[in-house]
Amino acid sequence: MGSLHRASKTLKSLRHQLLLQATQQFDSSSRLSGSSDYRLLLARALCSHPRQNAKEAVDLTQYPPERIRNFSIIAHVDHGKSTLADRLLELTGTIKRGHGQPQYLDKLQVERERGITVKAQTATMFHKYNLQGSSLDGSNEPQPFLLNLIDTPGHVDFSYEVSRSLAACQGALLVVDAAQGVQAQTVANFYLAFESNLTIIPVINKIDQPTADPDRIKDQLKSMFDLEPSDCLLTSAKTGQGLEHVLPAVIERIPPPPGEGSGLLRMLLLDSYYDEYKGVICHVAVVDGMLRKGDKISAAATGQTYDVLDVGFMHPELTQTGVLLTGQVGYVVTGMRSTKEARIGDTLFHAKTIVKPLPGFKAARHMVFSGLFPADGSDFEALNHAIERLTCNDASVSVTKESSTALGLGFRCGFLGLLHMDVFISDLNKEYGTHIISTVPTVPYIFEYSDGSKVEVQNPAALPSNSKQRVTASWEPTVLATIIIPILDSIDHVWCSQRAFMKYRLPLREIVVDFYNELKSITSGYASFDYEDSEYQQADLVKLDILLNGQAVDAMATIVHSLKAQRMGRELVDKLKKFIDRQMFEIIIQAAIGSKVVARETISAMRKNVLAKCYGGDITRKRKLLEKQKEGKKRMKRVGSVDIPQEAFHQLLKVS
Ligand SMILES: Nc1nc2c(ncn2[C@@H]2O[C@H](COP(=O)(O)OP(=O)(O)OP(=O)(O)O)[C@@H](O)[C@H]2O)c(=O)[nH]1
């Protein structure tokens, strides 16, 4: 670990400790107003971060489980989930109407830029409603309800996070676009909610569109999911039409959270993020019992014990309450140093009590791996620091150091899926500031050797090309893909309102590179696609090396099906030929399986004389051309004596 990095880590941890001490002190010494103690002032600044000062303190004891509804909004991408969430927050006065920034719940920059939800968000709302029989004192007045909206990420990469968020809910609004109808993610999300035993409220949204056809969508929902047409709500999150029926449906149809108020504390950890001032903030749902500030809690998966430094709910900003009761959803600040300690789906409970952990916990499973290298080798420490910073907030990325003969020192990172990888790399580019070379993504294969040992191979370069140990079997991960496309009238088996619904088992590797873009372009954007992880299947896999003048380029090695190896080898060699400029000597490009060459191309020698057209005259123009040539060289990576442009490493396996 470099000294710069070590120093920054130590500083970070010192500052973190200081802040925690300060926060603790603030409560015991809030009487000492006017104190000039630095830490106290700092703590005040921190504690003004939550909304407590701005809003009246809320007495959560008013909200026993029968006055709580925990629900989620699930939808195919762009069907209006976040817009609807915004409208509900406005309706309940949680945020001001027209607060200027669209989609309050989508907070990450990448979410705002791409219009997608990557991280789950939670918002607590208060709403008065006259539910028959809900009055605790027999009066006929509207009763206060506490509604927790748990916004889940819509993408398949985060389906584990979605399943954990849904585990904290008793109901879900299934939002479907009134023109587009049921799409691949609608199906996937419906089954996730159905398997979690949630009450599903169908919401047909965007009814203001000229192409809206709510009756057709009702038929679809009935035939596909057995949802009654009379249960469907018709809304326009844009114009506000029909929104008045949403919260009454939530309160009337969704059951209150179960759980034992007097039981031992059990909390489900839904998500976590790192706040510069407060440290790690965990989002939790209290399943049984009660949590108070000052309690000592333990985490089942890690076995670690923490002091509860702050407790509250999201309104939607952090609002301190000092307590969370059964059925309530909120946040907890403990002394966790990194979000790596906060495992999503983990059970938190009072230290020294014995409870059964909540079901469904799984460790993060990395499905896609890519090597990340600094374009300029001397920037390794800066890249290291940028990755450290980002993984502080995204513990689901795995990072190991990697060294490549072609690209130098870098990192091999594991991601939950493709979107997760794209988001991380684009954030990293922003954080890091200069160019990063990312190698073609690969999936985790399993190889068995003649001595019976099995290894998971996340990096093709790590698979020995000429091992004494023979590979006896190999396996690759597969996915169960759902593709929904509109079909022609003339095809006989018209299934559910002009849609064909297809399920395939595909090797994960096949969808890792460009599959989605290809599908969209072939179907002019009409197909929708989703997948879920499935089992490993046996496959005859080989390592395909790329050699330049006899030297293997480790960062370009791939693992492929043996039947495809030759064709793939030819394609790669052809493509690489287009990427590499002619140089002053002959370049031989080969694709090989072990010692067997399966494809070969030659780039003949040429001296590129950039000054060829500059006859005599202006020296500054000659200098400019030479400078430009030098700049171009900087963007090259050298393998042996051959210069390779950086983009070749990432683009090589893309479908042309
Ligand atoms: N016409 C119309 N447009 C809407 C309506 N609701 C949402 N939109 C628009 O549809 C687009 C997608 O809306 P979002 O709320 O971001 O969709 P989403 O489901 O949250 O999308 P993800 O976060 O990507 O899953 C935005 O441009 C919205 O302004 C509606 O009722 N009518």
Side-chain angles (χ1 to χ4, degrees):
M1 196 186 293
S3 55
L4 180 72
H5 170 62
R6 246 191 330 263
S8 111
K9 242 183 125 171
T10 319
L11 259 178
K12 213 190 275 174
S13 123
L14 267 175
R15 190 170 66 140
H16 184 61
Q17 276 182 6
L18 177 67
L19 293 174
L20 290 178
Q21 278 173 18
T23 319
Q24 278 167 332
Q25 269 214 350
F26 173 61
D27 288 290
S28 55
S29 54
S30 48
R31 295 160 258 118
L32 306 172
S33 63
S35 160
S36 60
D37 180 83
Y38 167 71
R39 288 188 303 182
L40 189 56
L41 289 176
L42 186 59
R44 284 236 171 87
L46 289 181
C47 292
S48 64
H49 180 55
R51 293 275 282 280
Q52 178 129 350
N53 302 341
K55 287 210 167 185
E56 257 174 58
V58 178
D59 174 13
L60 285 186
T61 56
Q62 278 190 65
Y63 300 96
E66 54 271 29
R67 291 277 179 77
I68 301 174
R69 299 292 182 270
N70 293 333
F71 70 104
S72 177
I73 305 182
I74 51 179
H76 185 74
V77 74
D78 268 1
H79 282 197
K81 181 182 70 172
S82 306
T83 314
L84 179 66
D86 264 15
R87 295 295 94 80
L88 297 183
L89 290 169
E90 285 173 8
L91 266 172
T92 52
T94 314
I95 56 174
K96 284 206 185 86
R97 202 164 244 285
H99 48 85
Q101 218 158 19
Q103 272 141 36
Y104 198 88
L105 288 177
D106 284 356
K107 283 180 183 163
L108 296 178
Q109 192 183 1
V110 52
E111 291 175 335
R112 289 201 200 280
E113 275 172 14
R114 296 185 179 211
I116 47 158
T117 308
V118 172
K119 245 176 142 42
Q121 302 283 346
T122 302
T124 299
M125 303 176 280
F126 298 96
H127 187 61
K128 284 203 165 167
Y129 183 68
N130 199 346
L131 177 68
Q132 281 213 324
S134 78
S135 162
L136 299 178
D137 57 7
S139 75
N140 223 1
E141 292 295 300
Q143 304 297 320
F145 282 86
L146 190 156
L147 310 175
N148 287 310
L149 165 58
I150 300 167
D151 185 35
T152 58
H155 196 272
V156 53
D157 288 7
F158 308 102
S159 51
Y160 173 62
E161 282 79 349
V162 177
S163 79
R164 293 306 80 212
S165 300
L166 295 184
C169 299
Q170 287 69 46
L173 299 175
L174 178 70
V175 177
V176 183
D177 184 307
Q180 281 189 19
V182 171
Q183 297 291 317
Q185 265 172 262
T186 322
V187 180
N189 284 324
F190 169 82
Y191 283 110
L192 272 177
F194 185 74
E195 280 156 20
S196 308
N197 283 325
L198 303 194
T199 300
I200 294 167
I201 302 176
V203 179
I204 300 175
N205 187 38
K206 305 200 187 183
I207 54 167
D208 60 295
Q209 295 177 105
T211 48
D213 188 354
D215 290 336
R216 182 171 60 88
I217 313 303
K218 281 184 188 171
D219 289 346
Q220 272 188 3
L221 292 171
K222 173 70 185 161
S223 63
M224 293 186 77
F225 308 133
D226 203 21
L227 294 169
E228 289 306 323
S230 56
D231 287 345
C232 293
L233 304 178
L234 303 186
T235 63
S236 165
K238 191 175 175 183
T239 65
Q241 197 183 343
L243 288 184
E244 67 281 11
H245 302 300
V246 178
L247 291 178
V250 166
I251 293 171
E252 287 184 9
R253 298 191 209 171
I254 297 175
E260 281 184 47
S262 55
L264 291 175
L265 172 74
R266 286 199 302 172
M267 294 191 293
L268 178 65
L269 204 159
L270 298 177
D271 201 0
S272 67
Y273 66 95
Y274 189 83
D275 180 277
E276 286 219 8
Y277 300 107
K278 293 176 86 68
V280 177
I281 298 181
C282 300
H283 288 185
V284 293
V286 181
V287 177
D288 296 314
M290 174 168 81
L291 176 78
R292 278 182 192 285
K293 184 174 173 178
D295 287 354
K296 257 195 186 338
I297 55 168
S298 296
T302 60
Q304 299 283 341
T305 295
Y306 306 96
D307 288 320
V308 174
L309 304 174
D310 186 10
V311 184
F313 59 84
M314 286 72 82
H315 191 43
E317 304 300 341
L318 303 186
T319 305
Q320 293 174 345
T321 57
V323 65
L324 278 178
L325 306 171
T326 305
Q328 292 171 352
V329 177
Y331 76 90
V332 179
V333 178
T334 64
M336 283 184 194
R337 281 159 181 267
S338 146
T339 51
K340 286 198 173 68
E341 293 174 50
R343 310 255 176 98
I344 294 178
D346 200 358
T347 304
L348 302 175
F349 55 97
H350 277 139
K352 297 197 178 136
T353 60
I354 297 172
V355 298
K356 197 168 160 218
L358 296 160
F361 173 73
K362 277 198 278 183
R365 173 115 181 81
H366 301 109
M367 298 307 288
V368 180
F369 292 83
S370 175
L372 304 180
F373 296 86
D376 180 347
S378 62
D379 283 345
F380 174 77
E381 273 305 330
L383 178 62
N384 186 10
H385 189 59
I387 289 180
E388 276 271 332
R389 274 183 66 92
L390 282 183
T391 49
C392 227
N393 232 341
D394 185 357
S396 55
V397 180
S398 74
V399 183
T400 45
K401 288 210 171 118
E402 182 179 351
S403 149
S404 151
T405 43
L407 300 173
L409 275 183
F411 300 89
R412 177 135 290 253
C413 297
F415 305 95
L416 302 175
L418 286 175
L419 173 78
H420 187 212
M421 181 181 77
D422 274 359
V423 167
F424 187 84
I425 293 179
S426 85
D427 281 358
L428 192 60
N429 269 314
K430 273 179 220 143
E431 176 88 10
Y432 174 66
T434 65
H435 191 68
I436 294 163
I437 302 175
S438 57
T439 61
V440 173
T442 176
V443 300
Y445 296 102
I446 294 175
F447 284 83
E448 186 185 70
Y449 292 101
S450 46
D451 66 354
S453 62
K454 276 188 185 171
V455 284
E456 186 178 281
V457 175
Q458 300 164 356
N459 181 359
L463 189 70
S465 303
N466 284 312
S467 170
K468 285 192 198 99
Q469 291 270 28
R470 220 165 40 82
V471 170
T472 49
S474 43
W475 292 264
E476 64 178 342
T478 64
V479 295
L480 206 55
T482 306
I483 301 173
I484 299 184
I485 53 165
I487 54 175
L488 297 168
D489 285 348
S490 56
I491 291 179
D492 266 359
H493 52 281
V494 175
W495 189 88
C496 187
S497 317
Q498 292 88 45
R499 289 278 191 287
F501 179 95
M502 297 179 273
K503 281 229 170 233
Y504 292 98
R505 184 175 307 283
L506 303 172
L508 172 61
R509 196 213 160 273
E510 298 298 324
I511 61 164
V512 160
V513 185
D514 255 14
F515 179 86
Y516 185 61
N517 289 343
E518 280 288 291
L519 179 73
K520 282 273 170 198
S521 88
I522 290 169
T523 61
S524 306
Y526 282 108
S528 70
F529 170 70
D530 199 359
Y531 62 88
E532 58 187 280
D533 298 339
S534 189
E535 65 240 25
Y536 270 72
Q537 73 179 13
Q538 196 150 13
D540 189 9
L541 303 166
V542 290
K543 179 181 175 191
L544 186 67
D545 282 313
I546 298 291
L547 302 114
L548 292 179
N549 286 348
Q551 190 170 346
V553 187
D554 55 359
M556 287 185 181
T558 53
I559 292 173
V560 289
H561 281 246
S562 67
L563 284 178
K564 279 188 171 179
Q566 188 149 16
R567 182 166 54 87
M568 181 87 140
R570 242 182 253 127
E571 281 175 14
L572 292 182
V573 163
D574 276 355
K575 230 183 211 180
L576 203 50
K577 188 177 177 186
K578 290 186 195 126
F579 275 117
I580 300 177
D581 283 340
R582 292 171 76 184
Q583 290 170 32
M584 285 160 68
F585 44 84
E586 187 182 68
I587 302 168
I588 297 166
I589 310 171
Q590 290 167 312
I593 302 165
S595 54
K596 186 178 156 212
V597 174
V598 294
R600 178 194 157 117
E601 279 289 344
T602 309
I603 303 176
S604 54
M606 188 196 82
R607 187 180 194 286
K608 193 170 180 197
N609 184 0
V610 289
L611 305 180
K613 286 183 195 148
C614 275
Y615 306 110
D618 186 7
I619 182 75
T620 54
R621 176 159 160 66
K622 280 185 184 170
R623 258 197 219 124
K624 249 191 206 159
L625 284 168
L626 286 169
E627 277 302 312
K628 219 170 133 194
Q629 188 184 37
K630 221 161 97 192
E631 268 303 301
K633 288 236 169 202
K634 264 197 209 159
R635 273 184 263 118
M636 300 280 181
K637 285 284 158 186
R638 178 158 285 208
V639 174
S641 50
V642 184
D643 289 327
I644 313 171
Q646 285 168 13
E647 64 270 27
F649 291 92
H650 191 72
Q651 300 290 336
L652 200 58
L653 284 196
K654 283 212 167 165
V655 182
S656 46

